[in-house]
Structure formats: C-alpha cells, structure tokens
Amino acid sequence: MSKKITRRAFAASSAAAAAVAGFGFKPASAQAYPARPVTVIVPWGAGGGTDATARIVAALLEKDLGQPFNVVNRTGGSGVVGHSAIATAQPDGYTIGMLTVEISMMHWQGLTELAPKSYTPLALMNEDPPGIQVSSTSPYKTVKELADAIKAAPAGKFKASGTGQGGIWHLALVGWMQAMGLAPNHVAWVPSNGAAPAMQDLAAGGLDLTTCSVPEARAIIEAGKARSLAVMATARNPAFPDVPTLKEAIGIDYSTGAWRGIAGPKGLPADVATKLTASLKKVYDSKEFKDFMSNRGFGTVWGDAAQFAAFMDRGDAQMGVAMKAAGLSKA
C-alpha cells in the first residue's frame, strides 16, 4: 500500500527538487512517450536511501521527458510487495520502478518467484559496497590485522552485524569468510534492525566488526567512535579515499554490494525502453545527480540495459552461492 509522506520523505523530495533546479534539461514536447504521468515504484519506505535515490532520478526524468514521474512507496514482504508491483504492472512504460539487490536474494530464500529476469532492465544507477568497520577502541588498525586475528580465533569468537539474518551485509561477511578459506559462519552474525543500530552496538563494544556500507557507518566514524578498515569493492569510494579495497589490503579479490537500478515490467516496448535508458543516462551524467549522491556518500555506477541485465545475472549467481553456503537458500 502507499505510505503517507513523512517529514523525512518530504525532506528527501525537497532536496531532490532543489537539486533539479539547475539541471538544464529542456522539456520534451510532441513526443509519443510519455504522454501522461509515469509512476515510479519504490519497494522500500519513504525517507531511506532507495527512496531518496528514486526521488532525484524521478525529478530529473520529469525535467527531461516533460511529464510527472511520481514516486510511490510500495513496502512490505521484505521487498516482495514493491518488486511484485513493478513486475506485474502493464508493460506500457507508465509504471516503472527501482529494483534493489534484494531481487537477487528473495527467490533463493523462497519468498517469491521473482528474479532479475522478471523485468525489462533499463539502467543501473548506484552501488554501495560493504565496508569493514571496527570500534575506535579495537586493537586492529588494519584489515590484515583483523583478518589474521579472525583466522587464528575459534569459530564464533568474533561477532559481526549490520543487518538482519540473510541480509546483504550478512552475505557480504559470508562471502569474505569463504574468500579467506574459512567457514561461512566462522564469524558469528548478530542480527540487527539495520546498519545504524549495528554501528551503535559496535561503538558500545557489543560487536567486533560491522560489514555495512561506509556511508551508513559515516556518522559513527565521524564521531570518532569507529573506523573503516576496507571496502569489498573493485575500487575505492572517492568519498572515502583513505579506505582501501580488500584486494589492495590483503590481496583478496572479492567484491559485492547493495545496488539500485531502474526497470520496467517484462515486455516493455523497445522504443519506450530505449528512450527511458537514454534519459536515465542524461540523469546519471548530470552534475545535479552526482552532487546529490556524493553529498550522501552514495556510490554511482552506470550500466545500460544490457549491462544492467548482465550485472544482475552475475549478482544473482553470486548470491545463490553465498546463501547456500550460509544455509539460507531454499532453492
């Protein structure tokens, strides 16, 4: 169901609108598509990172294509409700939505039959890799020191968190452990209601590490209560240039992340899909989008329709391996 617009959502919308002010697109006219407002479905709640990203994208699409792009939050079912609403919409281009990494996880968990191939991919816009954070009082100053200590410790001695059981940050830990030749559960996972409470627990001494994204850890890091030792990414985040990748720090070439992209229902007309992807590329290349994302520490990654499809297929297979290893797959 649609959610009421909260103060945070209003703030996100206002920020998106402010960013659009100088965008510089000329409204389209006399074009076959879009001839009326377009709905943009967000599978997660108003005010969060996915919502904020969708609102700036929608606002800039509206400027470019000359019709309103209205964001609607369809929450519930751990993301199933909103992703289902996108997949089952009429494939006419008037309902699109923001897919998130959960579309490559939920079917493995038996929550839905929806998978990346249930959609017409349009564009990959964002990816935030997991970081590895420790408390500022931790004895481990580098990820190598932490990794060596984890290897030397009995299973279950180290405790980590960042999200719920089976969430993206849990699977990031599982993948990292496997990449080091350890059992998936060598570091015990403590489920939490998200990155923010996990970082608070880390700062309070209840955890040894977190594997949420660095932007999510930013507030606690900037408060001097934690530090990030590495990111599980192919490259450093320009917003956090001092945090090395795992490959740079310990030679482990492992990367994953939470991502967001735009898609429509399967069977979207080719001319509509092509037009939307072209407009999304303008959005992605705009200073307004880059500034909006950078100010929040969100990563920006571009992939056109084909690249987004291939990206999701690789991620889907990777998630299947990690979830089976963690005993979370029902497939």
Side-chain angles (χ1 to χ4, degrees):
M1 67 182 69
S2 299
K3 292 291 184 182
K4 293 181 178 179
I5 300 300
T6 64
R7 181 178 299 177
R8 293 180 66 191
F10 178 77
S13 179
S14 298
V20 165
F23 190 51
F25 284 146
K26 295 179 179 179
S29 61
Q31 297 179 22
Y33 171 86
R36 55 185 171 84
V38 176
T39 296
V40 181
I41 294 174
V42 174
W44 304 101
T50 301
D51 179 69
T53 303
R55 289 180 187 279
I56 182 64
V57 170
L60 295 174
L61 283 173
E62 180 173 331
K63 282 289 184 183
D64 186 40
L65 296 176
Q67 288 286 347
F69 278 69
N70 301 313
V71 172
V72 175
N73 301 90
R74 297 289 302 275
T75 62
S78 299
V80 171
V81 172
H83 283 95
S84 179
I86 301 167
T88 58
Q90 286 294 319
D92 56 8
Y94 289 96
T95 300
I96 59 175
M98 181 156 276
L99 304 188
T100 61
V101 65
E102 283 76 12
I103 196 58
S104 61
M105 300 165 62
M106 296 185 297
H107 70 100
W108 292 109
Q109 296 169 293
L111 298 176
T112 178
E113 294 182 354
L114 295 171
K117 293 189 182 302
S118 304
Y119 303 88
T120 299
L122 296 172
L124 174 66
M125 307 291 287
N126 152 260
E127 184 179 23
D128 290 314
I132 300 170
Q133 285 75 228
V134 297
S135 165
S136 58
T137 60
S138 169
Y140 311 113
K141 308 297 183 186
T142 67
V143 74
K144 184 179 186 310
E145 293 175 356
L146 175 63
D148 289 344
I150 289 173
K151 291 176 183 174
K157 179 180 179 181
F158 279 78
K159 294 179 174 57
S161 188
T163 188
Q165 185 82 7
I168 179 63
W169 304 140
H170 180 198
L171 295 180
L173 174 70
V174 169
W176 178 34
M177 291 299 104
Q178 290 184 296
M180 291 201 298
L182 299 174
N185 60 349
H186 189 81
V187 170
W189 188 256
V190 180
S192 67
N193 290 323
M199 286 303 300
Q200 292 285 354
D201 199 9
L202 180 74
L207 298 168
D208 297 295
L209 65 149
T210 65
T211 50
C212 60
S213 71
V214 183
E216 291 173 311
R218 187 176 198 164
I220 298 297
I221 292 173
E222 291 182 347
K225 297 180 180 179
R227 55 178 174 268
S228 189
L229 303 181
V231 289
M232 304 180 203
T234 56
R236 299 188 183 201
N237 184 335
F240 309 96
D242 296 331
V243 181
T245 67
L246 267 183
K247 186 174 183 179
E248 290 175 328
I250 55 176
I252 290 180
D253 191 8
Y254 174 74
S255 62
T256 187
W259 53 260
R260 304 176 179 104
I262 303 293
K266 197 172 183 64
L268 208 61
D271 58 337
V272 171
T274 299
K275 188 165 188 175
L276 283 168
T277 296
S279 186
L280 286 164
K281 185 64 166 66
K282 291 182 184 177
V283 169
Y284 180 83
D285 288 337
S286 70
K287 183 177 185 301
E288 287 75 12
F289 179 73
K290 293 293 177 60
D291 286 349
F292 187 88
M293 299 295 279
S294 176
N295 288 339
R296 287 155 180 76
F298 295 159
T300 54
V301 177
W302 171 254
D304 63 17
Q307 292 166 333
F308 186 24
F311 173 88
M312 287 196 291
D313 286 344
R314 288 194 302 272
D316 189 63
Q318 185 184 50
M319 285 298 169
V321 171
M323 297 189 87
K324 288 176 181 176
L328 298 170
S329 173
K330 295 181 180 178

